[in-house]
Amino acid sequence: MKQTLIFLSFILSSFVINAQELISPNGKIKVVLNLPSKNASHGCFFKALYKVENQFVEVLPDSKLGINRTDEQFVNNLQFINESKPITIHDKYEMICGKRQLCENFGTEKTFSFENSNHQPLNIVFRVYNNGIAFRYVFPNHSDATKNISSEETTYTLPDETNRWMQPYERSYENFYPLTQTGIDDKNKQDWGFPALFKVNNQSLWGLISEADITENNCAAKLNNGQNKNQYQVIYPATAVATLPWNSQWHTIILGNLSKIVESTLITDVSSSNTLKETKWIKPGAVSWIYWANNHGSKDYKKVVEYIDFAVEMNWPYVLIDWEWDVMGNGGDINDAVNYAKSKGIKPLMWYNSGTIWMDPTPNDRLQTAEKRTKEFEWLNKIGVFGIKVDFFAGDQQDMMKYYIDILKDAAKYHLMVNFHGATAPRGWSRTYPNLMTTEAVYGAEWYNNNQVLTDKAAAHNVTLPFTRNVIGSMDYTPVTFSNSQHPHITSYAHELALSVVFESGLQHFADRPSAYQSLPAEPKDFLKQVPVTWDDTKLIDGYPEEKVIIARKKGNQWYIAGLNGKEESQTLLVKFDFLGKGTHSFQLIKDGKDSTSFSSEIIKVKKGDTLKMECLPRGGFVGVIKPK
């Protein structure tokens, strides 16, 4: 009888899936991998858990792993070979722009090695950080012949009725993040762009799914839940082609409360280190921007001069000369405009069409080859231009990833900063190529130019972006507008002013016309003259997507704090000053006035531990600076 039981146990063990665990250094996050046994081929799954009080809560149930090449599949035919010893990850680095200058992370890494049924190797590398999870696929063997990496089976599983804020996929990433529990979009396409935010049911626990560290050997991915509304599969736009060894991008999941989500630097933590030897020439700053109020304004030399003069008045270091500068007239051309800016101490930036065939605005097709970029960048250096805005990219496929990276590399050779528009969402390049100052990839203020949708949705949208799009990188929303473009805004003036702090961008393009800023009361106007665009630290004080947000950002010994009401009704926001140091501080506050187009300003004393009730109008807000006394 005993021998029979032993034999049955041996037979059953050949079909058992082995469970392996990986835990973050702080013990809060755990990944459990269900691995095929060494005696059989199966698929591989992982689940993610987060410790709440003394129990682990399941964040992601069993989620599938796997990847396919056109010559081999590594999905349901995997045989587990071995796992590495855990490696401690501790990384410190500096960022030129972003949530904080000095970044530090702690994690644990393990590599799990497999073979498929044809004895071809695959490694899956997992890292569990104190604030999230990252994993990537690696083909470790060598081959001079190119391989076609066709698709992934990676699938994130969410529990039923999970609240999720996800952006229906657009190649420009210019869409809203509507709340849904069903996972069905209004057009039933079921394609979703990164990042994707979800709340763990009945818990104050959140996850943000994205990806990072894409190279020339990768394409960028999206999510699709067409097969099962709670299962989001990673989808490639096209096959990636590369020699071996090869690795995928890092798949990332930031985990924790909403503060952990907003304050996380996981996207840059897992991205490759700075490739530039010297970066003193990279200078973030505020920008005077002509397009929002004057769509074709850069054709008009005199209008460009007006914005240059206004940059001088506001102490902003940059002016962006937008599309159609190549046909500038009315008293001067682009050379005259650049020379005038330099004579006033203002640094010019210039717009380019990336060269897509489906968009006509000029100048077009000056950057698509290395030869063209060399010619153009040499000319920009000669006339004295400090950066470029490149617009209208054509998707997330591998050739576009290479194009982005080629622009960043070549621009750096000529000490040119870069702003990507009509572009893919950030995926960590700002660490690897720190001349990347900002990226659009957002339904931003320029949409007031295009249609009336933003008018009614802006307040809730603005309150959602700090928990979604702006988490993963600098965001060129082009904020702070008081007058109207083609379509009106109904957010309050204090709400608009607060966007200068709530939204982080290495180049902060202030979008309104000079006359609108000049007509402001002294306090908000002076605030815009000195508000920073780079930060030493970032703290989420309070918030919830679509409802409210309060963010504090530190610069030197001062804290800038801003709050937004995303609701259509008045709301009281509670500001807790737990982040302050010792002593009494002076809080210069600018908030909603008696109506949406007026301000109220005051100076109050605050100290650590204080709580301030802030009354906000519908779609209102507040902003201020806190200085030690």
Side-chain angles (χ1 to χ4, degrees), residues 200-214:
V200 180
N201 293 343
N202 302 316
Q203 299 285 340
S204 296
L205 182 57
W206 301 73
L208 187 79
I209 301 170
S210 197
E211 59 182 12
D213 201 33
I214 286 175

Side-chain angles (χ1 to χ4, degrees), residues 202-486:
N202 302 316
Q203 299 285 340
S204 296
L205 182 57
W206 301 73
L208 187 79
I209 301 170
S210 197
E211 59 182 12
D213 201 33
I214 286 175
T215 71
E216 298 95 327
N217 293 322
N218 308 121
C219 54
K222 60 184 176 182
L223 298 172
N224 180 277
N225 65 335
Q227 296 298 315
N228 183 312
K229 300 305 182 291
N230 292 321
Q231 294 183 349
Y232 292 82
Q233 184 177 351
V234 173
I235 301 294
Y236 288 178
T239 296
V241 180
T243 57
L244 304 185
W246 175 90
N247 58 258
S248 73
Q249 66 275 46
W250 284 106
H251 302 285
T252 61
I253 313 151
I254 303 170
L255 293 175
N257 59 25
L258 277 175
S259 295
K260 294 290 186 184
I261 302 293
V262 171
E263 298 166 17
S264 172
T265 57
L266 185 62
I267 298 299
T268 49
D269 289 348
V270 299
S271 294
S272 299
S273 299
N274 176 14
T275 60
L276 306 184
K277 293 181 180 179
E278 198 272 310
T279 59
K280 291 181 180 179
W281 54 273
I282 302 174
K283 303 288 187 183
V287 188
S288 175
W289 186 47
I290 197 171
Y291 169 87
W292 187 82
N294 300 275
N295 194 333
H296 300 283
S298 293
K299 295 169 66 173
D300 188 326
Y301 172 76
K302 291 182 179 178
K303 286 189 180 296
V304 173
V305 165
E306 179 186 0
Y307 278 78
I308 293 169
D309 289 341
F310 183 62
V312 175
E313 180 182 342
M314 295 297 290
N315 197 33
W316 296 342
Y318 297 105
V319 64
L320 174 63
I321 306 173
D322 217 276
W323 65 6
E324 301 174 320
W325 54 256
D326 55 321
V327 291
M328 187 183 298
N330 194 24
D333 61 13
I334 184 61
N335 291 288
D336 297 316
V338 169
N339 286 333
Y340 183 79
K342 292 191 297 181
S343 74
K344 295 292 185 177
I346 300 301
K347 300 175 181 179
L349 314 170
M350 285 165 52
W351 182 97
Y352 284 87
N353 188 327
S354 73
T356 54
I357 60 174
W358 41 271
M359 292 299 289
D360 295 330
T362 60
N364 199 337
D365 192 19
R366 297 194 183 188
L367 305 180
Q368 284 192 304
T369 67
E371 293 75 19
K372 290 180 178 179
R373 288 191 293 275
T374 296
K375 179 181 178 181
E376 198 69 14
F377 293 167
E378 286 178 347
W379 173 64
L380 293 179
N381 276 179
K382 181 179 178 181
I383 65 174
V385 171
F386 288 79
I388 57 173
K389 172 182 174 181
V390 190
D391 211 340
F392 304 135
F393 289 89
D396 280 334
Q397 61 273 18
Q398 183 183 9
D399 64 331
M400 283 292 105
M401 299 301 107
K402 185 177 186 304
Y403 189 22
Y404 287 118
I405 293 170
D406 286 345
I407 290 173
L408 290 170
K409 287 180 176 179
D410 289 344
K413 296 174 186 176
Y414 294 89
H415 287 190
L416 293 170
M417 297 178 293
V418 177
N419 170 12
F420 286 138
H421 256 237
T424 195
R427 287 171 165 87
W429 287 332
S430 57
R431 180 183 180 186
T432 313
Y433 310 101
N435 57 322
L436 176 59
M437 307 307 296
T438 191
T439 303
E440 186 184 28
V442 65
Y443 201 97
E446 74 172 46
W447 276 92
Y448 288 117
N449 249 315
N450 301 336
N451 61 46
Q452 62 186 10
V453 174
L454 192 58
T455 296
D456 293 325
K457 289 190 175 183
H461 178 54
N462 293 345
V463 165
T464 303
L465 290 173
F467 307 105
T468 51
R469 165 61 183 85
N470 213 181
V471 173
I472 63 172
S474 290
M475 180 178 75
D476 196 18
Y477 179 101
T478 61
V480 189
T481 56
F482 304 106
S483 66
N484 292 322
S485 184
Q486 305 302 311

